[in-house]
Amino acid sequence: MSRAAGKLAVMALACALSILLAEGLVRALWSPNHPSGPRIHHFDPRFGLIHEPGEHRIPFRRCLESRPCEDVEIRFTVSEAGYRSLREGRGPASPIVLMLGDSMVEAAQVDDRQTAAFLLEESLRQHFPGVEVRNLGISSAGLVHYHARWARWGRTMDADLVIVAVFGLNDFRNCSTELESFRAMRPYYVEQQGTIIATFRQPEAPSFSPLRLWAHRATRGLELVRLLRDVKAARQEEGDGGQPGFLDATIFVPDPPPPWPEAVARGVEYLRELIRETFAEGVPILVVYLPWRVEAIDSEWADFASRDDRLDRWRPRRLVEDVAGSESARFLSFTDVVAGLPAETKRDVWHVETDSHLSAVGNRLLAEALKAPVTEILEAPD
């Protein structure tokens, strides 16, 4: 072996040992706090994300203000019909309540029996023994997705009531081809017979060279690679036009994507259309406004209002309530419920640090807030 070849062999060995050492350190120090969960969704080109049927176990680092963080395992059960439910095989249901929403309704941070949908169903059984509350929440969904889910799925379920839980500014952002951060849920808008409609068919995936594809397959099990991808995503986030938390991949969009005001206007349009279509089917609808942690005191909006003077008039709570009122839909503000809580209760409504979704406490409070208006609507004469 030549001297040069010997040096190359030593360098290759040192590089391999360095990678193994780095992988071991990442698995020991980083991975326990950033566990990779099971696959609970798959992509449907007609609709976006849908749930994988079966019982899933999701690792989660639960942090509340009142107690230390702890690593737990969440039971997440999906029915054969594709929505989160433990009811499979329990016979026909009546009445049927559909609960449309995003990850706040899906509630992957709490066990099956701790979601707002399950707890609402349990409490309603006192008056309606055969009731079923179907959890149609999907991560990263927004107002345009709620409308699509009702139009393509919900209206076939013979519902007696639809609850649409609107999650603040987030649900307006999800209506945008540019602002939506999750590619699989980005809507694309096309014109058909003079009407703008949304489609969730994605552009063709980019082709990879055989070498790049081999490298991807060879390294996808490495936690070091997952860490580097997270670091890259964090850097993208910091430089994303001053919009922290809104990652945005560069993809082909036929027309210039809408900025915030257009995204807000489009969200209003789809909420209004959802209400009108449920009423046209003879199904009442309850519009619920869900707050962010900071939105409970209405401080977050100031940052967004500074970008466009129209946004100062378009606070999401006011927008949602105005649309519900103009269409004669029932409205419930969970913001008001949270604002009236004692401080010691309010602090545990959401998770903190690694996650900001509703906790088990928050899901229970939401179910309690929903019980009275849902009961009243279901008991109302046709």
Side-chain angles (χ1 to χ4, degrees):
M1 179 183 294
S2 67
R3 181 176 296 180
K7 286 183 177 180
L8 285 175
V10 171
M11 290 174 61
L13 179 61
C15 183
L17 290 174
S18 298
I19 291 174
L20 288 174
L21 177 60
E23 176 72 7
L25 289 172
V26 169
R27 286 179 180 270
L29 302 177
W30 181 77
S31 299
N33 295 326
H34 300 82
S36 56
R39 184 183 180 194
I40 62 172
H41 302 108
H42 69 270
F43 175 68
D44 184 330
R46 300 164 301 169
F47 185 69
L49 289 183
I50 57 176
H51 287 119
E52 294 275 6
E55 182 179 310
H56 307 281
R57 299 284 181 170
I58 304 173
F60 179 63
R61 186 160 180 80
R62 181 167 59 202
C63 300
L64 299 173
E65 287 188 14
S66 64
R67 67 189 71 171
C69 294
E70 56 181 336
D71 295 319
V72 297
E73 191 176 62
I74 304 301
R75 181 187 179 191
F76 190 109
T77 306
V78 181
S79 70
E80 288 300 319
Y83 55 88
R84 188 173 188 183
S85 175
L86 289 171
R87 192 181 174 92
E88 202 81 88
R90 285 162 55 191
S94 179
I96 294 173
V97 178
L98 305 185
M99 198 164 175
L100 296 168
D102 64 358
S103 55
M104 284 290 189
V105 170
E106 181 189 65
Q109 299 75 22
V110 300
D111 283 320
D112 289 325
R113 296 178 181 275
Q114 295 177 317
T115 68
F118 181 87
L119 295 172
L120 175 62
E121 180 181 289
E122 289 290 292
S123 65
L124 289 174
R125 290 223 178 104
Q126 300 169 15
H127 303 284
F128 312 99
V131 70
E132 182 179 347
V133 179
R134 296 181 177 174
N135 185 342
L136 303 189
I138 295 285
S139 295
S140 199
L143 290 158
V144 62
H145 307 90
Y146 306 156
H147 174 268
R149 193 165 303 137
W150 159 258
R152 301 180 187 180
W153 194 7
R155 63 166 29 126
T156 68
M157 292 186 174
D158 197 25
D160 297 277
L161 170 64
V162 170
I163 300 172
V164 55
V166 183
F167 181 35
L169 182 68
N170 187 71
D171 282 5
F172 292 97
R173 172 177 66 87
N174 293 141
C175 293
S176 169
T177 57
E178 179 185 29
L179 299 174
E180 166 55 62
S181 60
F182 188 18
R183 176 174 175 171
M185 294 297 279
R186 280 186 176 172
Y188 291 83
Y189 297 96
V190 296
E191 185 172 337
Q192 291 186 357
Q193 299 179 342
T195 302
I196 300 296
I197 64 170
T199 176
F200 298 93
R201 185 176 60 200
Q202 303 295 308
E204 292 296 324
S207 59
F208 295 103
S209 67
L211 179 61
R212 186 175 177 184
L213 188 59
W214 174 86
H216 172 74
R217 288 173 177 170
T219 61
R220 64 185 173 185
L222 294 176
E223 289 293 276
L224 177 60
V225 171
R226 191 162 69 94
L227 171 62
L228 293 175
R229 286 175 181 162
D230 276 16
V231 170
K232 181 180 178 182
R235 287 178 177 173
Q236 273 186 285
E237 181 175 329
E238 290 174 1
D240 186 26
Q243 297 183 38
F246 299 156
L247 301 183
D248 196 20
T250 302
I251 60 173
F252 173 74
V253 180
D255 298 311
W260 269 105
E262 282 73 13
V264 170
R266 192 159 278 166
V268 167
E269 173 188 348
Y270 277 97
L271 177 58
R272 192 181 305 279
E273 192 61 28
L274 172 63
I275 295 171
R276 290 176 176 176
E277 290 184 15
T278 56
F279 281 161
E281 297 281 338
V283 181
I285 186 168
L286 171 62
V287 180
V288 182
Y289 184 79
L290 302 180
W292 298 81
R293 285 184 61 87
V294 291
E295 236 178 40
I297 56 175
D298 207 24
S299 62
E300 180 196 46
W301 191 251
D303 174 56
F304 297 100
S306 66
R307 300 176 196 166
D308 190 297
D309 58 2
R310 286 174 290 181
L311 292 177
D312 189 46
R313 304 191 302 272
W314 289 352
R315 293 177 182 264
R317 149 70 189 273
R318 188 187 309 159
L319 277 172
V320 174
E321 185 173 11
D322 287 350
V323 172
S326 66
E327 299 297 331
S328 301
R330 188 75 175 263
F331 176 78
L332 171 68
S333 172
F334 192 55
T335 301
D336 295 345
V337 174
V338 173
L341 294 173
E344 62 272 14
T345 303
K346 189 185 302 184
R347 64 179 181 170
D348 280 345
V349 171
W350 295 271
H351 294 108
V352 295
E353 295 187 22
T354 57
D355 194 283
S356 59
H357 288 85
L358 291 174
S359 65
V361 173
N363 275 271
R364 175 177 54 79
L365 291 168
L366 177 58
E368 291 173 356
L370 287 170
K371 181 181 178 182
V374 168
T375 300
E376 184 178 331
I377 293 171
L378 292 177
E379 288 182 336
D382 294 334

